[in-house]
Amino acid sequence: VVTTGETAYVTTHSCTLYSVPTKSGGIAWKKWLGSAVYCYPAVVGDRLYVSSGTARDGHFYLMSIDRNNGATGWQRRLPAEVTAAPTVVGDRVYLSLWDGSLHALTTSGKRLWEAQVFAASPPVVGPASLFVSARHGTELTRLDPATGKVAWTRALTEAHSASTEPRGTSANVPMPVSLATMASTPVPAGDFVFVGTQDGAMACVRADSGEPV
């Protein structure tokens, strides 16, 4: 479910997208998409960007839908299922697929670039940069959002400054980020990028170079 305040948009395993006014709880419109939808749509302006969750006609799709009436504006075939809701920044739509590839399109449906980086998280866009965790979360990669060119890749199995002591202590012992503990998508903040883990640790690298802090 994703809401805009006045309207909630609900995707379902029954292949249907619903537009539900939040005040009345009724159904403004519904649209059969032809396949189950596992990720919520991205809402930008009067458009919804929705990905199909299972193969329809043997293919996967990204669709642009008018959020006022459910009409399809365009759809583009994808080589695999998306990992999460599309990331929309300005007039660009970014997708991370289960085959490890990243894709960039315009909001009008024009394909811009594709990059195989073994992506394992949704893409996160910062100033002049795009970040994604890769290889099951053991790497962090920065790309140019305009071209898809890789700027750097940093292995996250290197030690960082998270504590191995129980929370509330002042110990500062290096702890490796492992395949099993990666939990979050990258979070760019100024000159740094942070990645949280399931065991409560935090990795931090420089955004410009990927060097650990």
Side-chain angles (χ1 to χ4, degrees):
V1 178
V2 62
T3 67
T4 61
E6 297 180 352
T7 307
Y9 300 96
V10 184
T11 54
T12 68
H13 288 190
S14 63
C15 311
T16 305
L17 171 67
Y18 293 90
S19 173
V20 180
T22 54
K23 289 185 178 180
S24 69
I27 297 176
W29 55 260
K30 61 182 180 179
K31 184 178 184 66
W32 190 76
L33 300 176
S35 64
V37 180
Y38 301 108
C39 301
Y40 57 84
V43 184
V44 180
D46 62 354
R47 308 305 299 177
L48 299 172
Y49 299 94
V50 185
S51 59
S52 58
T54 55
R56 174 179 51 146
D57 303 327
H59 302 289
F60 299 90
Y61 293 89
L62 173 69
M63 291 165 280
S64 171
I65 295 174
D66 189 324
R67 72 183 185 95
N68 297 305
N69 54 30
T72 299
W74 52 260
Q75 64 179 22
R76 296 293 179 267
R77 186 180 296 179
L78 301 173
E81 184 178 353
V82 301
T83 61
T87 299
V88 184
V89 179
D91 63 349
R92 298 290 187 266
V93 183
Y94 301 96
L95 303 167
S96 177
L97 307 188
W98 280 113
D99 65 358
S101 62
L102 286 176
H103 296 254
L105 304 86
T106 67
T107 50
S108 60
K110 179 183 177 181
R111 299 180 188 273
L112 296 175
W113 55 260
E114 173 184 345
Q116 177 52 263
V117 294
F118 305 97
S121 77
V124 178
V125 181
S129 57
L130 184 153
F131 299 97
V132 65
S133 64
R135 294 186 183 275
H136 302 285
T138 61
E139 293 180 352
L140 178 66
T141 297
R142 175 183 172 178
L143 303 92
D144 184 333
T147 64
K149 182 179 179 180
V150 174
W152 51 256
T153 295
R154 169 64 57 180
L156 292 176
T157 52
E158 298 179 5
H160 61 77
S161 58
S163 172
T164 57
E165 295 296 319
R167 295 179 183 179
T169 68
S170 59
N172 190 30
V173 181
M175 172 190 282
V177 179
S178 70
L179 173 68
T181 59
M182 173 61 65
S184 71
T185 56
V187 179
D191 295 332
F192 306 100
V193 185
F194 298 88
V195 180
T197 66
Q198 292 177 348
D199 54 16
M202 183 73 71
C204 178
V205 302
R206 294 195 62 85
D208 58 354
S209 63
E211 291 298 318
V213 175

